Amino acid sequence: MVANNKKSFGSTIWDYLTTVDHKKIAIMYLVAGGFFFILGGLEALAIRWQLVQPMNDFVSAGFYNELITMHGTTMIFLAAMPLIFAFMNAVVPLQIGARDVAFPFLNSLGFWLFLFGGIMLNVGWFTGGAADAGWTAYAPLSTTSPGEGVDYYVLGLQISGAGTLIGGINFLVTIVNMRAPGMTYMRMPLFTWTAFVASALILFAFPALTVGLFLMMFDRLFGSGFFDPSMGGNSVIWQHLFWIFGHPEVYILALPAFGIFSEIISTFSKKRLFGYTAMVFATVLIGFLGFMVWAHHMFTVGMGPAANSIFAVATMAIAVPTGIKIFNWLFTLWGGNIQINTAMLWALGFIPTFTLGGMTGVMVAAASADFQYHDTYFVVAHFHYVIVGGVVFALFAGTHYWWPKMFGTILDEKLGKLTFWLFFIGFHMTFFIQHFLGLMGMPRRYWTYLEGQGLDLGNVISTIGAFLMGVGTIVLLINIIKTSVKNEKVSGDPWDGRTLEWAIPSPPPFYNFKQLPLVRGLDPLWIEKMEGRKGMTPAEPLTDIHMPNNSFLPFVMSLGLFIAGFGFIYQKLDIAWLSLVFIGMGITLGCMLIRSVKDDLGYHIHKEDLKKEAGE
């Protein structure tokens, strides 16, 4: 932006509060998700410091329970999900040649619901204690937990989950309806494909969580007994409802991560992705099988040998499409003109790390063996290899890869590589040893352990590794600040990319494409480059562009639900609090009414102005 055109701080804030532009919403997801990632990381460091020596008393047992609950919940729902959404928002509309998502207003609403839900989850810290029933909130522990901590968990996740569901539906419609001319399904970049399948999983998985949370809300706040056996309820039903959501959630996170690595490996090997069709089918198959394996989290609850066997077989079957992906990435690298930079380092570190996570996954999938592994640190090690070694590595890689597209600057390579090595070594130090601690009998979720059990050294190594990961994250923050201060602009295509997002300037203009591009095959930009053209061939003449108006309503609607949440929680102490429910829901429903009756026709950018911009 030119110096004399600088916006005031206030108008910039107002711009972000009211924006419906997918690129600005992506930045907000990135900032909010980054904040919660650091918060979850600090909670993890507190957990590791408590376990650094036997019989430690750094935190109390009750506070330790709050830490493990909030660390898991924060990292999954408030860090990994929104950071994935940040990249989906920033990249998917550009990759399919669209001017925005299908429902820009809902896109904004999804973000604000997530943010207010995330804040509500953490309010418990300041009002006498956060949720303390584990991130999975198993009944009856969660239904009988005193205080308001679990209530904040239930309502925070309800609000946040509604935002995620809205976001998922929005991306489904966007990808189905908004593809540029010539962009058939089998020409979509793999990141768009993985975003598509993940959005379908959100559509089918989140309602199960919503139902479970509603039932728990009624149990805790209104005296029902869905999970109380003494009232004819069943506490195992919560586990089924939670994991029918919880297992697809793993793939909602992991599939876009696979997509990010597919883009990076292809771009920096200077090769088309090997076995593109197989990769697409593997993605869809993982999405499909992801719904058929949830009860492998429940082998020890007593479902019986038949159910255990079926879920064990289904779980092992899901390793096949994942294996297809691993081999296709390796074949893409094979014979490629490989360029090693920070993003590529994360991709190369991911392949062996995630493979190890998959192998321990097959071990845990064997129901008989799982009786030994279950609720030990072996399981903790396994899922951190999958979630951190898969998803978090991808988020770091995607940050370095798409930073120039989002902000027009490139992150410092030296600092980027330092981040990678610190985090990568720290990660393996932290979690590799935990497999062995688990096999030696160290249970999960215990706040301390006795001397003389042979667990001391492993825990010291694990804690040192965790702090190395923390230092790596700090280096990334320093890198971001340094890059932003220097503000050295780069071209629209700094990586010599293959897909549509690299065909326009960085950061993109608010209408993305002046003229929708004509897609003539997989890797459409690469095809044009091979034929000696600069940029994409347009699919339409230069015409007026229709754009949506900004709106303050999504923010206010989310605020209304946030206010109503407090009313629901505290009405059990004093019925007067119910007034907050009416005020909050009134605000939200009032905004819905305004949105319904007031025509919002958007505005047009005239082709004369577009020509002026280009200096024609």
Side-chain angles (χ1 to χ4, degrees):
M1 215 177 260
V2 202
N4 61 8
N5 198 13
K6 271 263 197 265
K7 284 183 170 175
S8 71
F9 180 71
S11 67
T12 305
I13 293 289
W14 178 250
D15 191 32
Y16 275 94
L17 283 176
T18 60
T19 188
V20 295
D21 178 354
H22 70 94
K23 298 173 289 297
K24 286 182 177 160
I25 290 169
I27 292 168
M28 294 198 293
Y29 269 119
L30 197 66
V31 171
F35 168 76
F36 284 121
F37 181 77
I38 290 164
L39 182 64
L42 292 171
E43 287 157 357
L45 291 179
I47 292 167
R48 283 308 330 153
W49 192 247
Q50 166 61 21
L51 293 171
V52 71
Q53 63 184 39
M55 302 305 289
N56 199 0
D57 60 355
F58 172 62
V59 295
S60 69
F63 190 67
Y64 182 82
N65 286 348
E66 291 172 34
L67 281 173
I68 58 167
T69 303
M70 293 306 291
H71 164 69
T73 311
T74 301
M75 283 305 201
I76 297 283
F77 294 102
L78 308 180
M81 286 289 294
L83 289 169
I84 295 265
F85 265 118
F87 293 128
M88 281 164 65
N89 265 297
V91 178
V92 168
L94 301 181
Q95 284 197 335
I96 60 173
R99 293 225 165 85
D100 206 319
V101 291
F103 306 118
F105 180 91
L106 287 183
N107 202 17
S108 169
L109 179 62
F111 169 77
W112 290 113
L113 284 169
F114 140 70
L115 187 61
F116 278 111
I119 293 168
M120 175 150 265
L121 260 167
N122 283 282
V123 168
W125 289 119
F126 307 103
T127 60
D132 59 357
W135 79 276
T136 55
Y138 279 1
L141 188 60
S142 50
T143 49
T144 55
S145 165
E148 283 77 54
V150 176
D151 301 329
Y152 282 114
Y153 168 98
V154 169
L155 281 141
L157 280 191
Q158 285 285 39
I159 296 168
S160 204
T164 307
L165 191 57
I166 287 170
I169 293 168
N170 202 351
F171 278 107
L172 279 176
V173 179
T174 303
I175 295 169
V176 171
N177 279 346
M178 309 274 289
R179 287 166 292 139
M183 173 71 74
T184 61
Y185 283 108
M186 293 313 280
R187 286 178 180 172
M188 295 196 313
L190 247 159
F191 179 67
T192 299
W193 255 113
T194 54
F196 183 57
V197 175
S199 299
L201 293 180
I202 288 171
L203 179 62
F204 291 111
F206 265 81
L209 178 69
T210 306
V211 168
L213 288 168
F214 262 116
L215 300 182
M216 183 166 286
M217 175 178 157
F218 279 98
D219 273 18
R220 282 191 61 90
L221 301 177
F222 302 108
S224 64
F226 292 106
F227 304 123
D228 181 354
S230 67
M231 293 170 70
N234 183 339
S235 53
V236 175
I237 296 292
W238 165 263
Q239 293 192 32
H240 280 292
L241 286 169
F242 185 87
W243 288 117
I244 287 170
F245 147 79
H247 202 83
E249 168 70 10
V250 173
Y251 299 106
I252 291 168
L253 298 175
L255 286 173
F258 295 166
I260 291 170
F261 287 125
S262 300
E263 302 291 324
I264 289 170
I265 289 169
S266 170
T267 300
F268 298 124
S269 303
K270 291 279 169 274
K271 271 177 73 183
R272 172 171 292 183
L273 192 71
F274 182 91
Y276 170 85
T277 313
M279 289 293 257
V280 169
F281 280 107
T283 304
V284 175
L285 192 57
I286 288 173
F288 179 70
L289 288 174
F291 277 98
M292 303 165 76
V293 298
W294 81 86
H296 66 208
H297 297 267
M298 302 167 56
F299 282 152
T300 58
V301 304
M303 291 185 300
N308 282 5
S309 307
I310 291 163
F311 283 103
V313 171
T315 305
M316 293 183 186
I318 214 163
V320 177
T322 314
I324 291 172
K325 284 180 172 292
I326 299 277
F327 282 111
N328 280 359
W329 286 318
L330 292 173
F331 289 139
T332 307
L333 292 165
W334 185 273
N337 178 13
I338 297 174
Q339 176 190 348
I340 300 285
N341 55 21
T342 310
M344 192 61 166
L345 268 179
W346 284 108
L348 296 173
F350 153 80
I351 293 176
T353 307
F354 192 82
T355 306
L356 198 62
M359 285 159 57
T360 53
V362 174
M363 292 171 69
V364 181
S368 52
D370 187 64
F371 272 72
Q372 298 299 319
Y373 308 133
H374 192 84
D375 274 347
T376 70
Y377 262 75
F378 186 86
V379 178
V380 178
H382 155 69
F383 75 70
H384 281 87
Y385 262 81
V386 173
I387 300 291
V388 184
V391 180
V392 177
F393 280 24
L395 295 171
F396 278 114
T399 302
H400 283 87
Y401 181 61
W402 281 311
W403 192 267
K405 186 44 62 186
M406 292 173 78
F407 299 99
T409 55
I410 279 195
L411 290 170
D412 184 271
E413 273 296 307
K414 278 205 180 91
L415 286 175
K417 287 178 175 157
L418 181 60
T419 299
F420 169 77
W421 287 113
L422 283 168
F423 199 94
F424 185 75
I425 292 166
F427 166 77
H428 285 286
M429 273 179 73
T430 307
F431 296 110
F432 189 72
I433 196 90
Q434 288 184 7
H435 291 102
F436 300 98
L437 288 171
L439 294 174
M440 289 158 74
M442 183 170 168
R444 281 168 75 173
R445 308 188 185 102
Y446 279 38
W447 72 299
T448 186
Y449 51 95
L450 298 171
E451 288 176 29
Q453 294 185 311
L455 304 174
D456 307 23
L457 178 63
N459 275 297
V460 170
I461 293 169
S462 194
T463 301
I464 294 167
F467 279 89
L468 272 181
M469 289 158 78
V471 175
T473 310
I474 291 167
V475 174
L476 177 67
L477 289 175
I478 293 168
N479 191 349
I480 287 171
I481 293 163
K482 180 186 165 191
T483 306
S484 307
V485 170
K486 272 172 69 177
N487 202 18
E488 288 175 9
K489 294 296 179 192
V490 292
S491 72
D493 185 16
W495 308 127
D496 193 15
R498 310 175 71 85
T499 45
L500 284 179
E501 76 263 35
W502 305 110
I504 54 174
S506 295
F510 61 97
Y511 48 78
N512 294 355
F513 295 91
K514 202 172 285 184
Q515 293 159 279
L516 293 183
L518 179 66
V519 175
R520 296 188 299 146
L522 185 60
D523 294 348
L525 181 58
W526 194 253
I527 292 174
E528 305 286 328
K529 284 179 181 175
M530 290 297 97
E531 294 181 2
R533 291 191 196 84
K534 277 196 163 52
M536 294 297 300
T537 308
E540 58 174 12
L542 190 62
T543 52
D544 294 355
I545 297 175
H546 179 247
M547 297 297 288
N549 286 325
N550 283 0
S551 175
F552 191 44
L553 290 178
F555 179 87
V556 182
M557 284 165 86
S558 308
L559 180 64
L561 287 177
F562 182 71
I563 293 168
F566 287 97
F568 277 120
I569 290 170
Y570 286 103
Q571 56 77 35
K572 69 177 180 182
L573 305 179
D574 182 354
I575 203 75
W577 282 90
L578 266 181
S579 57
L580 275 189
V581 174
F582 291 109
I583 293 167
M585 295 308 285
I587 293 171
T588 301
L589 294 169
C591 289
M592 288 180 174
L593 184 67
I594 293 168
R595 176 72 184 168
S596 304
V597 297
K598 184 168 159 275
D599 281 342
D600 183 3
L601 301 172
Y603 64 97
H604 283 88
I605 308 165
H606 297 294
K607 61 181 176 193
E608 292 74 23
D609 299 335
L610 293 168
K611 279 183 181 159
K612 254 186 241 159
E613 264 181 43
E616 287 168 19

